[in-house]
Amino acid sequence: MLNTIIVDDEEFARSSLYFLLQENCEGIHISGIAKSVTEARTLLANNTIDLIFLDIAMPGENGFELIPDAQLNNAHVIFTTAYDQYALKAIKANALDYLLKPIDIDELKVAVDKAEKYINVNKKDNYQNESLQNLAVNLSERNEIRKISLPNGQGYSLVNVDDIIHIAADSNYSVFYLQNNDKITVSKVLKEYEEILPDYQFIRIHKSSIVNLNYVKEYNSKNGLEVILKNGEKIAVSRRRAADFSDKIKSYTNIDK
């Protein structure tokens, strides 16, 4: 049996993965569930853990920041992530595997089977999983993100990043406005998506707005600096972000040409 912990800030993700593992993976023993990297460190300190199912994007510390603790405790990692990007090939090369949310049962079984064989073999040699040490560096390029999956309360909506027109902050929520006129509200703050989405394509122009430069139709300073999107929406650019926006739109226009 592999002693396993689940680390994810989303309640639905934690509970659904727990259920999938319990129902489909006999060789897994769930030793604990953590909502944050801090809680995960406590579990690692107090238990002998073989395997961690680790989310990447979490408030506070992200999943990469648990890697040193995983190394010290000889625990191996399967990443669970909402982001489909070419850089995830680095995860495949350095971690045991990664699973894209919403997690597919068959893919989960394959990943667990791989983990069981790998960990059981290397336990004999007291193997230290040093291959994880450069993982964060290998994944530092985020400009290859193609899709994200957005938790919607009942599951996940898989969205192409090119279909996102803009994102608006609503208190502790983020509202995604999509090309097909759909609107998805997510219980995460805007800053998390500002850090994840490719910065050559998306820019935060206001404390409450991120826009996709693909959908900028025009911008003017008639009533203060204002962006007009291709769907007709008008969004203000804050004064402190105006210079950055101006530089970014000029650079983007040159690249586009």
Side-chain angles (χ1 to χ4, degrees):
M1 296 287 284
L2 296 184
N3 294 323
T4 303
I5 61 173
I6 296 169
V7 185
D8 201 304
D9 65 306
E10 297 173 5
E11 182 178 356
F12 176 84
R14 294 192 302 271
S15 59
S16 61
L17 179 54
Y18 177 86
F19 174 79
L20 289 175
L21 290 169
Q22 291 286 86
E23 293 295 314
N24 298 282
C25 303
E26 294 181 357
I28 294 293
H29 173 259
I30 307 297
S31 300
I33 298 177
K35 299 190 292 288
S36 66
V37 168
T38 299
E39 290 186 8
R41 286 196 182 101
T42 301
L43 289 175
L44 284 171
N46 295 319
N47 300 275
T48 299
I49 301 300
D50 301 305
L51 181 62
I52 305 171
F53 285 91
L54 180 59
D55 187 23
I56 295 175
M58 293 182 285
E61 295 177 283
N62 64 40
F64 298 133
E65 294 174 85
L66 188 63
I67 297 302
D69 302 271
Q71 290 179 311
L72 288 172
N73 290 275
N74 200 27
H76 300 266
V77 171
I78 293 176
F79 280 99
T80 58
T81 175
Y83 308 105
D84 180 17
Q85 57 194 82
Y86 293 136
L88 286 174
K89 292 178 181 177
I91 293 180
K92 287 230 170 189
N94 292 287
L96 292 184
D97 211 334
Y98 80 93
L99 297 169
L100 184 65
K101 299 175 183 177
I103 293 173
D104 178 83
I105 294 175
D106 292 331
E107 292 180 0
L108 176 63
K109 289 179 179 178
V110 169
V112 168
D113 183 61
K114 182 194 298 185
E116 288 176 330
K117 292 176 181 176
Y118 185 84
I119 292 172
N120 287 331
V121 166
N122 286 293
K123 269 184 177 180
K124 299 175 183 178
D125 301 321
N126 194 28
Y127 177 76
Q128 179 70 28
N129 188 13
E130 296 176 354
S131 63
L132 287 173
Q133 62 186 356
N134 293 320
L135 184 57
V137 175
N138 291 340
L139 293 175
S140 62
E141 295 296 329
R142 298 171 311 196
N143 62 351
E144 297 295 349
I145 293 175
R146 292 291 175 262
K147 294 182 180 180
I148 59 175
S149 69
L150 304 175
N152 56 27
Q154 307 302 317
Y156 296 88
S157 299
L158 196 61
V159 174
N160 290 319
V161 296
D162 288 341
D163 291 338
I164 300 169
I165 298 175
H166 72 103
I167 314 166
D170 183 5
S171 186
N172 290 324
Y173 294 83
S174 296
V175 184
F176 285 73
Y177 292 83
L178 306 179
Q179 187 180 29
N180 61 1
N181 294 320
D182 279 355
K183 189 168 69 171
I184 299 175
T185 300
V186 178
S187 58
K188 287 181 177 290
V189 295
L190 205 60
K191 182 174 176 57
E192 293 192 36
Y193 295 105
E194 180 185 12
E195 293 175 348
I196 289 165
L197 289 167
D199 59 9
Y200 71 90
Q201 183 178 355
F202 291 84
I203 182 170
R204 190 163 185 172
I205 61 173
H206 193 277
K207 67 179 181 180
S208 59
S209 301
I210 293 174
V211 298
N212 184 341
L213 293 173
N214 286 338
Y215 293 96
V216 174
K217 181 179 180 181
E218 61 180 276
Y219 59 101
N220 59 63
S221 56
K222 293 177 182 177
N223 301 304
L225 189 56
E226 181 181 66
V227 166
I228 301 175
L229 302 177
K230 290 179 181 178
N231 64 357
E233 290 192 61
K234 299 178 180 180
I235 302 177
V237 180
S238 68
R239 288 184 179 179
R240 75 182 188 91
R241 297 179 187 271
D244 186 37
F245 170 74
S246 180
D247 291 341
K248 182 66 67 70
I249 198 70
K250 288 174 184 177
S251 174
Y252 181 79
T253 302
N254 289 335
I255 292 172
D256 195 44
K257 288 179 179 179

